[in-house]
Structure formats: structure tokens, C-alpha cells
Amino acid sequence: MFGFVFSDFALAHEYFTPTPIAKDVADLVCPLLPELAGYDGIVRAFEPSVGIGRFVRELGPPRCLLTDPRYKNIHWTAVELSEVSAKMFAAMRPDVDLYVMSLEQWMSEHAARYQGTLSLIIANPPFGERGEFALKDKHPDYQESKAYAYFMFRCSDLLVPRGVAVFVIPAGYLTGTQNRKLRERMLLRHHLEVAFRLPSESSRGRDVFPGARNVVDVLVWRARGGELGAVDDADQYILEGHYFDEHPDHILATE
């Protein structure tokens, strides 16, 4: 969920994940659930900006009604900053372990307990600056100023080896030279399975994110289970910002 200005009760500008995007992401993730399940058949999943829970909803039945014997269901843990959104989500999904607080506070209080236990992370994180919330997580490895970068780095590092993280983030991350250091950091610890650039408008000319006109990418990462000494040769084109030059068919509109 995107948020830029905060009030006492909710984010003043909340851009919930559009349902069509949540459905398409679920279609991408659902086939992976059996391999992400633990020995007990449970997928332990985390949504750090759950909003009103569209990803959580779409990753359940009937869309993700699987018959694979390795998979039983998903156990969700979620964080939401907005009290209003959290109350709506909690009313719909009382089965989810929901924390109403900033992700920074959650990480400072709970990250150690969840480290290496999660096999799926999925989020449409904030795109703005972290602001005062940054002070609540003093870990020296996660001091990024951009909220989306913090969410992506901090959460992905909680994954089990071969765990999957899916993020909807600003389109500029994978292109150009400005974010090279940010790409390098992720590529050392995680493999980019696939990425797609989404259109900002529907075929009818309507904003995909109403009122925001955001161009976003969906990134699917796979945890390496450790850190490389240098970016893999096969990932150099990603590091240099050429992912969509090499995969133009992953741009799902006309730029």
C-alpha cells in the first residue's frame, strides 16, 4: 500500500493494490506454494504492508485451491500502519497474525524470531521517504531512506533459502544507473527470478492506481540462502540496469 502523508487515524493518501494486479500476482505465486510449504504442509507467509488484504485474499481459495499433497494452507503474519485499514482487514481475516504498527517497529521487536522462518513474502510497500519511522529500526544494515528499498531489503532477508519474495515497487529500480548500488545489494543475497513492468493506464485509459498514475514493476526474488562475494556473471545485465532491454516482452504496455 502506498502512503505519503500520515494522519492520526490513517494514511491520507492510501493506494491499495488494484484487484487485477493482486489477482495476476496470485496467479504467478499459486503454482509455487507446494514447493514453499514446510514439512507440515504450511507456507509461512508475511505481508508487511497488508492494507485491506487483497494479496492475502487472492492467495486463498478459490484462486489458489491446490490439490498437491505437499501443500495444506498458508499461515499469514501481517503488518499494517493504518489503524483504519488494519481494523477492516482484521474484521475480514481474524485468522491472520496482524500487527498494527510501522514495519520498523515490527522489525525491531520481532525480526529475530522470524529470521529464516518465512518462505513467502509479498508486498506493495510505500514509495515515499521513511521519515520518522526510520528511527525505530536501528539495525545498521537497513538504513535506506526510501521506504520501498527498506521494505524489500529488510523483509527479503527473513526468507528461508529458496524462499520467494514478491514486491510491487517503482519502475526506476531496475533501470538506469542511479539505483545500481541498490540492485547490487539485492543481487548478492537474492536471485531475480522474473520482473514485469505494468501499465499505468488500463485499456480504457483509466489509472491502474486511481489518482496516482504510477508506473510500477513486479519483482519476484528467490533467496540464495547466503551472500555472494560478487554479483553473479549471469546477473550483470540486471546490475547495469538492462533487465528490460534483455526482456522487452516483460513490459506489459507501450512505454
Side-chain angles (χ1 to χ4, degrees):
M1 176 180 59
F2 306 122
F4 302 92
V5 180
F6 299 94
S7 70
D8 291 336
F9 303 102
L11 303 183
H13 298 286
E14 292 180 286
Y15 298 100
F16 297 113
T17 307
T19 296
I21 292 179
K23 289 181 176 179
D24 287 345
V25 170
D27 287 340
L28 194 66
V29 173
C30 283
L32 304 176
L33 294 179
E35 67 174 279
L36 297 176
Y39 292 114
D40 56 0
I42 306 298
V43 175
R44 287 164 178 82
F46 183 51
E47 224 288 28
S49 53
V50 73
I52 55 174
R54 286 178 175 164
F55 281 134
V56 175
R57 180 185 67 199
E58 297 302 333
L59 278 163
R63 184 169 297 276
C64 284
L65 188 60
L66 304 176
T67 58
D68 193 304
R70 295 174 295 170
Y71 171 73
K72 292 182 179 178
N73 55 46
I74 303 178
H75 179 87
W76 286 98
T77 299
V79 176
E80 175 53 40
L81 177 62
S82 165
E83 293 184 6
V84 173
S85 298
K87 287 179 180 178
M88 289 190 289
F89 176 67
M92 294 183 289
R93 291 297 301 265
D95 59 303
V96 173
D97 294 335
L98 176 63
Y99 297 80
V100 186
M101 58 179 64
S102 68
L103 179 62
E104 287 86 349
Q105 182 179 345
W106 186 89
M107 286 293 179
S108 66
E109 296 177 4
H110 303 285
R113 179 160 64 92
Y114 281 84
Q115 185 73 48
T117 68
L118 301 169
S119 57
L120 175 63
I121 295 168
I122 188 165
N124 174 7
F127 282 13
E129 300 291 324
R130 291 172 66 201
E132 64 184 38
F133 299 110
L135 300 175
K136 295 186 178 182
D137 184 358
K138 301 184 184 303
H139 197 296
D141 291 346
Y142 305 101
Q143 296 303 309
E144 288 75 24
S145 60
K146 296 293 186 182
Y148 83 86
Y150 170 79
F151 271 64
M152 189 162 61
F153 296 154
R154 194 66 160 109
C155 294
S156 296
D157 283 352
L158 298 180
L159 287 169
V160 300
R162 299 286 298 163
V164 168
V166 183
F167 293 96
V168 180
I169 66 168
Y173 174 77
L174 277 182
T175 55
T177 59
Q178 183 176 359
N179 290 312
R180 188 180 189 278
K181 286 290 186 184
L182 298 181
R183 292 192 292 269
E184 180 180 26
R185 180 168 181 186
M186 281 296 289
L187 289 168
L188 289 174
R189 298 184 181 182
H190 308 283
H191 172 66
L192 184 63
E193 294 268 286
V194 70
F196 297 98
R197 178 154 294 167
L198 305 186
S200 58
E201 295 181 356
S202 70
S203 58
R204 297 182 179 181
R206 297 176 180 176
D207 292 348
V208 173
F209 290 87
R213 301 189 64 81
N214 284 319
V215 178
V216 301
D217 294 341
V218 176
L219 277 60
V220 181
W221 298 95
R222 181 82 71 163
R224 297 187 186 278
E227 183 167 345
L228 300 176
V231 173
D232 191 283
D233 288 343
D235 290 338
Q236 285 296 322
Y237 76 101
I238 303 173
L239 176 64
E240 300 303 330
H242 299 308
Y243 181 87
F244 289 108
D245 295 331
E246 296 293 326
H247 303 285
D249 56 318
H250 291 189
I251 300 175
L252 306 183
T254 300
E255 289 192 296

